C-alpha cells in the first residue's frame, strides 16, 4: 500500500467516524441544531477550500439524517411523493442559491456555491423535486439577467478588455473569454448538470404544475374557499420551459460549448427527448458537439476531468475539465 492509499484510508476512516458521531448526536439534539453548528464551518472553510473531496458530505449526510427522521423515502425514486419536502435540504439549497446570486460575494465563491448546489441537488436523495425545479429556475434567472447585460458580442468583448490589457492581442482567445465570464459559464453548467440527473422528473413536475394551476383558474369562479393548500407551486417559480433553454443555448456566449463534454452530451440528449431546445438550434448544437468530440480524440490526449473542484480552479483546468470543475457526471 503506497502513501496515497494510506492517506485515503485514513480519510475514509475519519469520515466514517464523523458520520457515526453525527448519527449519534442526531439522537440527542435535532438535526436543525446540528446544521446550525456545522454551517459556519461550511461558510468559512469548506466552501473556500480548493479541491475539497470529502468534508462537504457532512452536510449531505446531515440532510439525509433529517430526511430519515421525518420519514421521507428520498427523492431518487420516481414513485415517491413529489410534494414531500425536506425542510433542512431546502434550507441548504436556498442558502447556496443566495450565495450564487449575491453580487457582494467574490465571484470565485459564487462559482463554488454553484458547484455545490448542482452536486447537492443532483445527488442527494433528501432533495425533493420541487426544490430541484426551484433551484434550476433560480439560476436560470441569473443567467438571463447576465445575457441581458451582455446581449451583444461587442459588449462581451469589451468586458474582456480589462482581463487581457497589457498582454497583447494574442491573448484575445477563448481562454480569456472563459476567464472573464467564468461565473456565467459555471452557473449555466450547474443548471445543465442538475437537468442531466433530475431533468425527467423536473419536466414532468413542471407540466403537472401548469395543468394543476390551469384547473384552479378554470374553477376559481365557483370556488369560494381560498384556504386550501396548493399542491404545486406557481409555474413561474419553477419555470424550466423550452423558451428559456432555447434562449440560453443560442446565446452568443455559447455556454454549452464550455461545459464538460459529458454534461453537454447528456443535456443535448435530454433536450432532444423532451424538446427543451428549438429543433433547428438543437441540430446545430449536436453537430458542434460531435465536431468537438472528434477533435478531442485526435492529437494529444485530453486530460479527463476529475472530481468536484472549488475555489482555486485554474483556467487551464477549466478548459479541459469543464468550467467551475463540477467533475464527471
Amino acid at each position: 500500500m503506497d502513501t496515497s492509499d494510506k492517506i485515503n484510508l485514513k480519510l475514509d476512516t475519519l469520515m466514517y467516524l464523523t458520520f457515526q458521531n453525527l448519527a449519534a448526536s442526531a439522537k440527542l439534539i435535532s438535526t436543525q441544531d446540528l446544521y446550525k453548528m456545522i454551517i459556519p464551518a461550511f461558510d468559512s472553510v469548506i466552501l473556500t477550500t480548493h479541491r475539497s473531496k470529502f468534508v462537504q458530505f457532512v452536510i449531505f449526510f446531515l440532510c439525509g439524517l433529517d430526511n430519515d427522521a421525518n420519514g421521507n423515502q428520498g427523492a431518487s425514486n420516481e414513485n415517491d411523493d413529489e410534494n414531500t419536502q425536506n425542510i433542512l435540504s431546502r434550507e441548504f439549497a436556498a442558502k447556496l442559491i443566495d450565495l450564487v446570486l449575491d453580487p457582494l460575494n467574490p465571484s470565485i465563491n459564487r462559482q463554488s456555491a454553484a458547484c455545490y448546489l448542482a452536486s447537492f441537488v443532483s445527488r442527494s436523495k433528501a432533495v425533493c423535486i420541487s426544490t430541484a425545479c426551484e433551484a434550476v429556475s433560480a439560476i436560470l434567472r441569473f443567467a438571463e439577467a447576465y445575457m441581458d447585460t451582455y446581449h451583444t458580442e461587442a459588449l462581451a468583448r469589451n468586458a474582456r478588455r480589462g482581463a487581457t490589457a497589457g498582454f497583447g492581442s494574442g491573448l484575445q482567445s477563448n481562454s480569456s473569454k472563459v476567464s472573464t465570464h467564468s461565473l456565467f459559464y459555471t452557473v449555466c453548467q450547474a443548471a445543465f448538470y442538475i437537468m442531466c440527473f433530475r431533468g425527467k422528473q423536473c419536466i414532468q413536475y413542471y407540466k403537472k404544475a401548469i395543468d394543476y394551476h390551469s384547473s384552479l383558474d378554470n374553477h376559481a369562479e365557483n370556488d369560494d374557499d381560498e384556504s386550501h393548500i396548493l399542491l404545486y407551486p406557481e409555474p413561474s417559480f419553477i419555470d424550466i420551459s423550452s423558451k428559456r433553454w432555447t434562449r440560453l443555448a443560442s446565446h452568443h456566449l455559447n455556454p454549452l460549448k464550455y461545459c464538460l463534454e459529458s454534461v453537454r452530451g447528456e443535456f443535448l440528449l435530454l433536450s432532444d427527448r423532451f424538446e427543451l431546445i428549438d429543433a433547428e438550434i438543437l441540430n446545430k448544437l449536436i453537430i458542434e458537439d460531435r465536431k468537438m468530440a472528434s477533435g478531442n480524440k485526435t492529437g494529444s490526449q485530453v486530460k479527463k476531468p476529475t472530481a468536484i473542484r472549488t475555489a482555486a480552479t485554474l483556467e487551464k483546468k477549466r478548459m479541459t475539465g469543464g468550467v467551475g470543475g463540477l467533475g464527471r457526471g
Side-chain angles (χ1 to χ4, degrees):
M1 182 180 295
D2 59 25
T3 304
S4 61
D5 290 335
K6 291 180 181 179
I7 293 174
N8 285 332
L9 180 60
K10 289 181 179 179
L11 289 173
D12 290 343
T13 303
L14 285 173
M15 288 306 302
Y16 177 73
L17 293 175
T18 300
F19 290 157
Q20 277 193 321
N21 183 57
L22 278 175
S25 300
K27 296 178 181 179
L28 302 177
I29 59 177
S30 69
T31 51
Q32 284 282 343
D33 288 337
L34 284 172
Y35 176 81
K36 292 176 182 177
M37 293 167 60
I38 293 174
I39 204 64
F42 176 85
D43 292 334
S44 61
V45 181
I46 298 176
L47 185 66
T48 57
T49 299
H50 177 44
R51 300 189 70 177
S52 173
K53 291 179 63 177
F54 302 103
V55 183
Q56 66 267 25
F57 289 102
V58 169
I59 305 291
F60 283 44
F61 184 76
L62 190 57
C63 289
L65 288 177
D66 185 63
N67 191 60
D68 295 340
N70 292 324
N72 299 333
Q73 296 177 351
S76 61
N77 189 333
E78 293 184 20
N79 296 320
D80 291 342
D81 183 359
E82 59 192 10
N83 294 304
T84 300
Q85 296 183 343
N86 181 324
I87 295 176
L88 192 58
S89 66
R90 284 180 64 81
E91 183 175 340
F92 185 54
K95 173 185 177 59
L96 291 172
I97 292 172
D98 287 342
L99 288 172
V100 173
L101 301 182
D102 186 357
L104 299 180
N105 274 335
S107 178
I108 199 69
N109 288 354
R110 296 170 73 182
Q111 286 181 257
S112 294
C115 291
Y116 278 108
L117 177 67
S119 180
F120 178 65
V121 172
S122 299
R123 307 282 189 155
S124 176
K125 294 180 180 180
V127 177
C128 66
I129 195 61
S130 174
T131 300
C133 284
E134 289 178 58
V136 174
S137 183
I139 55 182
L140 281 178
R141 282 195 290 273
F142 166 84
E144 288 164 345
Y146 199 93
M147 290 188 291
D148 289 340
T149 301
Y150 298 101
H151 57 275
T152 66
E153 292 186 30
L155 286 171
R157 284 195 300 270
N158 289 337
R160 291 157 53 191
R161 285 181 179 176
T164 57
F167 292 96
S169 60
L171 291 182
Q172 298 286 343
S173 60
N174 284 337
S175 61
S176 63
K177 178 179 180 179
V178 170
S179 178
T180 304
H181 302 287
S182 58
L183 176 59
F184 171 74
Y185 287 126
T186 301
V187 169
C188 290
Q189 180 171 266
F192 299 143
Y193 189 89
I194 295 172
M195 292 298 288
C196 288
F197 283 89
R198 310 291 298 274
K200 179 181 178 181
Q201 290 175 292
C202 285
I203 293 166
Q204 291 173 343
Y205 186 81
Y206 177 59
K207 290 180 178 178
K208 289 179 181 179
I210 292 175
D211 293 340
Y212 173 75
H213 282 276
S214 177
S215 65
L216 285 183
D217 293 338
N218 292 335
H219 296 87
E221 295 181 0
N222 300 321
D223 188 3
D224 296 328
D225 182 16
E226 297 181 355
S227 62
H228 60 275
I229 299 175
L230 295 177
L231 297 180
Y232 292 91
E234 288 285 344
S236 60
F237 295 156
I238 56 171
D239 186 0
I240 54 170
S241 60
S242 60
K243 181 180 179 180
R244 303 185 82 178
W245 295 113
T246 297
R247 184 191 175 194
L248 183 63
S250 60
H251 192 263
H252 63 81
L253 284 174
N254 201 356
L256 275 170
K257 180 179 180 180
Y258 300 102
C259 265
L260 283 163
E261 183 179 345
S262 57
V263 174
R264 180 176 63 248
E266 187 67 25
F267 182 76
L268 290 175
L269 286 174
L270 183 79
S271 299
D272 184 38
R273 181 178 179 185
F274 294 101
E275 299 179 344
L276 286 182
I277 300 175
D278 177 79
E280 183 178 351
I281 295 173
L282 179 61
N283 287 335
K284 291 180 180 178
L285 291 170
I286 291 174
I287 293 172
E288 290 177 3
D289 177 58
R290 289 172 180 170
K291 287 180 179 178
M292 286 187 284
S294 61
N296 287 341
K297 295 176 182 178
T298 60
S300 60
Q301 185 176 1
V302 176
K303 183 179 177 181
K304 293 182 179 180
T306 57
I308 185 169
R309 298 187 181 121
T310 53
T313 306
L314 299 176
E315 183 173 314
K316 181 179 179 181
K317 292 181 179 179
R318 289 195 190 105
M319 296 301 295
T320 57
V323 178
L326 277 169
R328 288 188 289 179

